[in-house]
């Protein structure tokens, strides 16, 4: 079960300050099924990218909006958090023993 601090941190990572889109229990479930909070954020950004994929660029009356950039940016955020999460997971699995160096003695 995720703590309130973890849920709050995840909310900041995915830019969802309110509970309109994701409830605390939803975010807690994402944290619980992921290896770490960064991978949970990556999964949530991928969900956001999926919902933004249908947006198109609009040009009208001398004004233009590049709404497809929202999709690209959500994918970039997912990729960044995925890389950070994999780095953290690899660091947790790294051996904690020290390397020993000895002199070679020839007889």
């Amino acid at each position: 079960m995720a703590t309130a601090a973890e849920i709050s941190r995840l909310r900041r990572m995915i830019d969802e300050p309110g509970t309109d889109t994701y409830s605390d229990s939803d975010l807690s479930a994402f944290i619980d099924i992921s290896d770490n909070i960064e991978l949970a954020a990556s999964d949530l950004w991928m969900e956001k990218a999926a919902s933004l994929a249908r947006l198109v660029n609009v040009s009208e009356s001398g004004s233009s909006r590049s709404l497809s950039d929202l999709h690209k940016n959500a994918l970039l955020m997912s990729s960044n958090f995925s890389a950070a999460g994999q780095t953290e997971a690899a660091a947790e699995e790294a051996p904690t023993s020290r390397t020993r160096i000895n002199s070679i003695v020839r007889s």
Side-chain angles (χ1 to χ4, degrees):
M1 187 73 178
T3 65
E6 290 172 325
I7 292 170
S8 178
R9 180 174 176 221
L10 184 57
R11 282 196 182 284
R12 290 189 307 274
M13 293 168 88
I14 63 169
D15 193 31
E16 290 286 343
T19 58
D20 296 338
T21 308
Y22 298 104
S23 68
D24 286 348
S25 60
D26 292 337
L27 295 181
S28 179
F30 270 99
I31 294 170
D32 292 342
I33 63 172
S34 297
D35 290 337
N36 56 49
I37 197 165
E38 282 81 10
L39 292 176
S42 174
D43 291 342
L44 287 162
W45 274 109
M46 190 60 72
E47 272 195 11
K48 286 180 156 196
S51 68
L52 296 170
R54 60 184 165 75
L55 298 179
V56 296
N57 295 339
V58 177
S59 292
E60 61 185 358
S61 302
S63 174
S64 63
R65 293 180 196 94
S66 298
L67 298 177
S68 66
D69 287 349
L70 295 172
H71 177 253
K72 291 176 193 171
N73 291 338
L75 288 175
L76 181 63
M77 291 297 290
S78 176
S79 176
N80 289 343
F81 280 117
S82 178
Q86 303 223 353
T87 301
E88 183 178 313
E92 290 174 0
E93 295 174 4
T96 57
S97 63
R98 301 178 99 186
T99 303
R100 295 182 185 174
I101 300 174
N102 295 323
S103 300
I104 298 174
V105 178
R106 296 180 188 227
S107 31

